[in-house]
């Protein structure tokens, strides 16, 4: 079998996504790889496909126990021998799995990193041929990453006790260079083929809003999407409880999830959401690790998260089936304070020395700054994220609130005069130029020591923009620089006037700046506006609604019969394609995207019959 046949037959996908094929080819050629892909980017294909083509077994190290179970279930469902080994198994189950491993029953085995210390496990692994060792969430090996796991350090020891060294493939969604280097070094990857890819999720739209009343905005948002599921992420447990209560009071039926709840209740709430009994989940970031619910249509962040990594991972839980989905962030200045507080008080990793802790704190603060930048940028939001992850992109995406915002020309001549004049006067006063931060401080009439020490409170423009937000003044300064009225010196990053500034200061030139028109926060429409082409987003459905209802009903029935969530039968995207293609034979059914031969054999006839019946009624 070829890799394409495996992809189609076992997983039902027609094509590889960007980056998958390159990584698979490198592995098949016997080379170590480092794959950097976002969550949901399709990392598992990058070890499952080669794993099935290589002789022997593929061992997957993953810290996510619930994910393991889902993946193994999905593999079995697709007809692949797979098993997992972790702390949830009883002794009897463990013995059985070990025996079946020895018998060669499995092609793909998932294990939690703690297993690498267990003698029994290591002994079994020494007896079978491991061709590929796949390390998922490989950043857990780095102390500077966000979720350091000491047991990951055992991977190298484990490799050393194997009879021979398998190909090692590491995968992560981590952005920082530092962590990536750690992965290569500590895992001992041998000149790995490295691929950064797939961070773009064109079917997701991005939107940053600053609603005055977040709850009101949210209720309105949810009410106009009653048939869709979504997640609301809050920064703290208390915020989850409070929002849950408020929404319930207003008649929104929601589930909630955070680490402070009883296990049983949490499991129940999660199930309500997974099985679509409740369409809204309010949660802290504890929710979602390993949740592979593919029909989540929106994710709202009620508070700003601590890093772009965290944001993108959480927002990225929307639209995993490829249909258009919305990612909205409600930003308020208070969110920055909360995030700082959480960072300063949340780092209790006892394995770290005070100096190391300080370093982690600084790394966290830098990540927070980048996140805050996302909330404030006026440029393409998608572009901002892709920049952060190191992936090239076009200038605009046409599917984020900044690209779709209406811009109006605003006359900022007065503001420009104040700023340019301030730069000029400060320089005359001091005899040298200073940077943006100090200029902003002087304009706002700041009382910081440096301003007072330098006597800048005596300068004539001191405090003339006291009522303007610092961010706004900065955006004026950026604009004046782009337009050539100001220049930032290379060496010291100081602001100096250009000749063109004189036109504004002395010769009556006016300055207009395009500014985003802030919509009424609560009345804001979803990002996709009628009549505007949305590049890369899923096309609106051309399948009759009735047919979709028929297909969804069949899926629901099958899901309930088998006691699996609906997306385990077929994703929304697959149903949509089924509705479009209207297959009449099993061959045609296999052509539907997302349909593999196992599930075709299992469910095909039932769907074919439903489609045929629909068509008879249509005539
Ligand atoms: P990750 O492990 O990177 O978080 P997964 O491997 O779970 O992501 O894949 C996310 C989703 O993408 C899954 O629903 C999977 O079926 C789908 N997927 C992966 N590869 C492809 C592909 N080549 N074509 C279509 N869908 C794919
Ligand atoms: Zn954009």
């Amino acid at each position: 079998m070829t890799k394409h046949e495996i992809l189609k037959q076992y997983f039902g996908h027609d094509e590889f996504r960007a980056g998958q094929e390159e990584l698979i080819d490198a592995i098949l050629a016997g080379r170590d790889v480092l794959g950097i892909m976002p969550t949901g980017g399709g990392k598992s294909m990058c070890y499952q496909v080669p794993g099935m083509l290589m002789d022997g077994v593929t061992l997957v190290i993953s810290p996510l126990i619930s994910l393991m179970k889902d993946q193994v279930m999905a593999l079995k469902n697709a007809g692949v021998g797979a098993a997992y080994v972790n702390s949830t198994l009883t002794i009897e189950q463990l013995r059985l799995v070990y025996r079946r491993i020895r018998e060669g029953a499995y092609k793909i085995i998932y294990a939690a990193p703690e297993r690498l210390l267990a003698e029994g496990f290591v002994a079994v692994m020494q007896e079978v041929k491991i061709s590929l060792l796949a390390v998922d969430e490989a950043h857990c090996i780095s102390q500077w990453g966000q979720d350091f796991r000491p047991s990951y350090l055992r991977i190298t020891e484990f490799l050393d006790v194997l009879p021979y060294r398998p190909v090692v493939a590491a995968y992560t969604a981590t952005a920082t260079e530092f962590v990536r280097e750690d992965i290569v070094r500590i895992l001992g990857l041998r000149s790995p083929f490295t691929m950064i890819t797939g961070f773009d999720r064109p079917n997701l739209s991005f939107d940053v809003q600053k609603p005055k009343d977040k709850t009101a905005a949210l209720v309105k948002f949810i009410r106009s999407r009653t048939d869709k599921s979504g997640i609301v992420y809050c920064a703290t447990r208390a915020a989850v409880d409070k929002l849950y209560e408020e929404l319930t009071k207003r008649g929104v039926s929601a589930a909630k999830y955070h680490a402070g709840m009883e296990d049983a209740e949490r499991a129940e709430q999660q199930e309500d959401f997974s099985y679509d009994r409740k369409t809204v989940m309010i949660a802290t970031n504890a929710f979602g690790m390993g949740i592979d619910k593919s029909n989540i249509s929106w994710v709202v962040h009620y508070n700003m998260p601590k890093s772009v990594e965290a944001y993108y991972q959480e927002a990225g839980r929307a639209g995993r089936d490829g249909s258009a989905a919305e990612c909205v962030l409600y930003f308020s200045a208070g969110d920055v304070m909360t995030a700082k507080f959480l960072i300063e008080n949340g780092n209790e990793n006892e394995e770290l020395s005070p100096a190391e802790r300080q370093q982690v704190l600084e790394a966290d603060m830098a990540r927070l700054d980048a996140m805050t930048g996302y909330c404030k940028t006026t440029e393409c939001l998608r572009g901002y994220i892709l920049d952060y992850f190191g992936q090239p992109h076009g200038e605009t995406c046409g599917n984020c609130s900044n690209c779709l915002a209406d811009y109006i020309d605003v006359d900022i001549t007065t503001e420009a005069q104040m700023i340019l004049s301030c730069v000029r006067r400060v320089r005359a006063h001091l005899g040298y130029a200073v940077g943006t931060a100090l200029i902003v401080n002087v304009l706002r009439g700041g009382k910081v020591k440096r301003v007072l020490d330098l006597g800048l409170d005596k300068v004539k423009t001191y405090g003339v923009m006291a009522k303007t937000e610092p961010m706004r003044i900065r955006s004026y300064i950026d604009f004046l620089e782009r337009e050539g009225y100001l220049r930032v010196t290379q060496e010291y990053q100081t602001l100096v006037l250009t000749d063109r500034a004189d036109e504004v200061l002395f010769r009556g030139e006016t300055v207009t700046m395009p500014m985003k028109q802030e919509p009424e926060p609560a009345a804001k429409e979803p990002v996709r506006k009628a009549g505007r082409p949305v590049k890369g987003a899923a096309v609106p459905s051309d399948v009759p609604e009735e047919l979709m209802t028929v297909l969804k009903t069949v899926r629901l029935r099958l899901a309930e019969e088998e006691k699996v969530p609906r997306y385990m039968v077929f994703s929304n995207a697959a149903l949509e394609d089924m509705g479009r293609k209207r297959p009449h034979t099993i061959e045609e059914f296999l052509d539907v995207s997302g349909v593999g031969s196992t599930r075709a054999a299992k469910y095909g006839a039932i769907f074919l019959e439903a489609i045929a019946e629909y068509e008879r009624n249509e005539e």
Side-chain angles (χ1 to χ4, degrees):
M1 262 176 131
T2 65
K3 57 179 188 274
H4 283 104
E5 284 164 359
I6 300 242
L7 185 72
K8 177 74 193 160
Q9 197 158 323
Y10 287 95
F11 303 103
H13 304 312
D14 290 319
E15 285 164 38
F16 284 107
R17 287 189 185 151
Q20 286 180 328
E21 198 166 5
E22 291 86 340
L23 286 163
I24 292 169
D25 286 343
I27 292 172
L28 291 175
R31 191 163 166 196
D32 286 356
V33 304
L34 173 60
I36 296 154
M37 279 184 188
T39 308
K43 286 185 280 286
S44 47
M45 248 1 90
C46 301
Y47 53 80
Q48 289 174 350
V49 172
M52 288 165 63
L53 284 165
M54 293 159 101
D55 58 347
V57 302
T58 289
L59 176 63
V60 185
I61 305 296
S62 165
L64 310 174
I65 290 182
S66 58
L67 182 98
M68 240 178 241
K69 197 172 150 203
D70 284 352
Q71 293 252 355
V72 167
M73 207 152 94
L75 281 170
K76 282 184 169 165
N77 211 24
V80 183
Y84 61 87
V85 181
N86 62 35
S87 54
T88 65
L89 299 184
T90 61
I91 305 266
E92 278 70 41
Q93 288 171 320
L94 201 59
R95 275 204 198 111
L96 180 67
V97 170
Y98 286 172
R99 199 179 75 224
R100 305 275 292 136
I101 292 176
R102 286 199 177 92
E103 289 165 3
Y106 307 124
K107 203 64 198 153
I108 298 176
I109 300 164
Y110 282 79
E114 292 76 21
R115 285 294 126 182
L116 301 172
L117 301 172
E119 264 171 50
F121 179 77
V122 175
V124 175
M125 286 298 133
Q126 284 169 326
E127 283 174 47
V128 295
K129 176 168 185 203
I130 302 175
S131 307
L132 174 63
L133 179 82
V135 182
D136 209 357
E137 313 291 339
H139 57 274
C140 292
I141 207 166
S142 170
Q143 296 200 3
W144 314 124
Q146 281 172 314
D147 347 79
F148 172 56
R149 298 218 172 201
S151 53
Y152 260 64
L153 297 173
R154 302 287 170 173
I155 297 174
T156 353
E157 283 168 46
F158 174 76
L159 280 170
D160 287 342
V161 301
L162 290 179
Y164 49 85
R165 186 180 182 278
V167 173
V168 182
Y171 301 92
T172 180
T174 301
T176 56
E177 196 80 36
F178 208 56
V179 174
R180 289 174 197 172
E181 280 164 13
D182 261 10
I183 294 172
V184 173
R185 187 175 49 81
I186 303 172
L187 271 182
L189 298 183
R190 298 182 184 166
S191 58
F193 170 77
T194 303
M195 186 99 210
I196 302 178
T197 184
F199 279 88
D200 192 12
R201 303 267 312 275
N203 63 316
L204 301 185
S205 68
F206 292 95
D207 189 357
V208 174
Q209 299 181 17
K210 303 177 181 86
K212 286 208 178 64
D213 181 345
K214 289 186 180 185
T215 311
L218 180 64
V219 168
K220 192 164 163 91
F221 180 90
I222 294 172
R223 289 239 165 92
S224 56
R225 286 161 185 77
T226 45
D227 55 333
K228 293 181 168 167
S229 358
I231 307 175
V232 185
Y233 278 111
C234 299
T236 61
R237 295 174 192 181
V240 168
D241 288 335
K242 185 157 166 270
L243 187 60
Y244 176 79
E245 213 169 278
E246 281 176 14
L247 288 195
T248 311
K249 228 188 296 169
R250 297 191 200 196
V252 175
S253 139
K256 69 169 177 173
Y257 188 104
H258 61 65
M261 288 159 58
E262 294 288 323
D263 284 353
E265 194 198 352
R266 212 169 46 205
E268 191 185 307
Q269 299 270 343
Q270 175 172 340
E271 217 183 75
D272 279 348
F273 182 65
S274 288
Y275 289 85
D276 299 311
R277 290 193 286 263
K278 285 183 176 163
T279 53
V280 177
M281 170 57 95
I282 307 166
T284 60
N285 60 5
F287 178 76
M289 276 290 222
I291 304 292
D292 190 17
K293 183 172 161 61
S294 66
N295 65 343
I296 294 169
S297 301
W298 54 265
V299 170
V300 169
H301 277 76
Y302 197 83
N303 304 108
M304 180 184 75
K306 288 179 282 188
S307 67
V308 178
E309 280 104 329
Y311 178 64
Y312 205 47
Q313 183 167 55
E314 288 156 18
R317 297 198 170 111
R320 289 188 69 156
D321 62 2
S323 358
E326 299 168 90
C327 309
V328 186
L329 195 158
Y330 290 166
F331 177 71
S332 65
D335 291 342
V336 184
M337 317 271 282
T338 310
K340 279 201 172 128
F341 178 84
L342 291 175
I343 289 172
E344 277 160 4
N345 296 283
N347 195 346
E348 265 126 41
N349 192 336
E350 274 159 19
E351 290 173 57
L352 300 183
S353 69
E356 287 170 335
R357 211 166 290 180
Q358 183 58 29
Q359 193 166 347
V360 171
L361 187 73
E362 278 164 26
D364 284 346
M365 286 298 180
R367 280 193 272 254
L368 176 62
D369 275 348
M371 185 66 235
T372 313
Y374 173 83
C375 298
K376 294 187 171 172
T377 183
T378 53
E379 318 244 304
C380 174
L381 292 173
R382 184 185 314 277
Y384 187 97
I385 293 171
L386 293 177
D387 273 346
Y388 184 77
F389 288 103
Q391 190 180 319
H393 59 86
E395 198 161 318
T396 56
C397 76
N399 196 14
C400 76
S401 55
N402 284 348
C403 285
L404 290 172
D406 287 322
Y407 281 86
I408 43 171
D409 279 331
V410 178
D411 186 328
I412 61 155
T413 309
T414 312
E415 289 83 353
Q417 284 167 344
M418 291 175 183
I419 291 166
L420 297 174
S421 163
C422 182
V423 172
R424 191 165 156 269
R425 285 171 193 274
V426 167
R427 181 169 192 165
H429 179 87
L430 296 173
Y432 55 84
V434 299
T436 307
L438 196 55
I439 294 294
V440 171
N441 238 302
V442 175
L443 283 164
R444 298 199 75 236
K447 303 235 180 320
V448 295
K449 189 161 180 301
R450 187 143 171 253
V451 170
L452 303 180
D453 283 354
L454 293 172
L456 294 176
D457 53 337
K458 308 283 181 319
V459 168
K460 200 162 164 229
T461 46
Y462 179 77
V464 287
M465 296 181 87
K467 293 210 171 71
T468 312
E469 288 260 339
M471 271 311 292
R472 174 139 291 207
I473 302 180
R474 277 175 185 272
S475 71
Y476 293 143
I477 292 176
D478 287 347
F479 178 74
L480 292 173
E481 189 205 337
R482 275 206 300 278
E483 294 294 301
Y485 297 105
L486 280 174
R487 198 163 56 78
V488 179
T489 60
Q490 275 284 307
E491 204 175 352
Y492 300 110
Q493 301 286 305
T494 54
L495 284 177
V496 293
L497 299 185
T498 65
D499 293 344
R500 216 182 148 192
D502 288 354
E503 304 294 323
V504 178
L505 284 173
F506 309 116
R507 283 186 278 280
E509 185 167 306
T510 58
V511 183
T512 54
M513 175 173 159
M515 273 196 245
K516 198 162 101 181
Q517 197 169 21
E518 292 293 344
E520 278 299 298
K524 188 159 181 189
E525 287 294 306
V527 165
R528 289 185 60 193
K529 289 183 190 160
R532 287 207 195 227
V534 177
K535 202 183 79 192
V539 274
S541 171
D542 46 4
V543 180
E545 226 177 291
E546 264 171 66
L547 177 55
M548 283 313 293
T549 310
V550 168
L551 297 176
K552 282 183 179 166
T553 311
V554 173
R555 176 177 65 174
L556 180 65
R557 204 183 74 219
L558 291 169
E560 285 184 345
E561 269 169 28
E562 299 201 14
K563 300 209 180 352
V564 295
R566 289 177 226 178
Y567 62 83
M568 291 284 264
V569 178
F570 287 121
S571 68
N572 283 351
L575 284 195
E576 191 95 12
D577 198 44
M578 202 181 294
R580 212 171 290 128
K581 292 188 175 138
R582 299 196 185 184
H584 297 104
T585 63
I586 283 287
E587 284 70 44
E588 287 172 7
F589 195 74
L590 279 166
D591 251 4
V592 174
S593 82
V595 174
S597 51
T598 309
R599 279 190 289 170
K602 215 159 153 188
Y603 309 126
I606 302 168
F607 278 98
L608 291 178
E609 198 190 300
I611 292 168
E613 183 175 329
Y614 169 83
E615 290 187 331
R616 277 198 297 278
N617 291 331
E618 202 180 28
E619 278 148 18

